[in-house]
Amino acid sequence: SSKIRNMEVQSADGIAVLEDCIGFSLTKTISKVEEKLKKGVLPDCQDDDIFPRAGNEMGTEAQIRFLKAKLRVTQEDLANVVFECRKKDDENQNLETRLKDTEDENTRLQRTISLQQSQTEKYKILSQEANKKTEELQQEVTALEKVL
């Protein structure tokens, strides 16, 4: 995600070109393709589905314009995908933060529950002891009343 965030949009011949830090240059790639087209060396893959059927009858300049337009659309799609990726990355960061907070809260509540359970057990034992002592004192009172 840091590479995506470090991408810069630059303009070359009226075309938005995304260049990342790896060294890949879309401008260089386009230049190479344009040079090959100017020399008359067309790609061997005729069924690559880049040009429409009428594309074979287009002139070189028309093919270049078509490819540049297709490149612009592809770059817009890429920009949209990058934007969505950033958005999803931010959403993931928020969700991870919320998850961590929830886990911390869960841990805190588990400790509180454990503490309260131990206190409940302690008070049950104290209550049982108090009840025994009350019964003993009640028996002693009854015995003293008989003596009196």
Side-chain angles (χ1 to χ4, degrees), residues 24-95:
F24 172 77
S25 173
L26 199 50
T27 307
K28 290 179 186 175
T29 306
I30 293 171
S31 300
K32 289 178 185 176
V33 171
E34 286 176 346
E35 287 175 20
K36 287 181 182 179
L37 287 174
K38 285 180 184 175
K39 291 179 183 176
V41 181
L42 295 175
D44 292 336
C45 15
Q46 295 296 325
D47 59 341
D48 60 3
D49 216 17
I50 293 175
F51 289 107
R53 292 179 189 232
N56 294 334
E57 298 167 6
M58 284 187 209
T60 306
E61 292 296 319
Q63 287 180 349
I64 291 172
R65 284 193 307 274
F66 174 79
L67 288 173
K68 283 184 178 182
K70 190 164 183 115
L71 176 63
R72 270 188 233 106
V73 170
T74 304
Q75 288 172 333
E76 288 173 6
D77 290 344
L78 176 61
N80 289 335
V81 168
V82 167
F83 175 77
E84 288 297 318
C85 184
R86 286 181 186 158
K87 201 163 111 177
K88 294 292 182 185
D89 190 37
D90 291 342
E91 185 178 337
N92 282 343
Q93 291 293 336
N94 290 337
L95 289 173

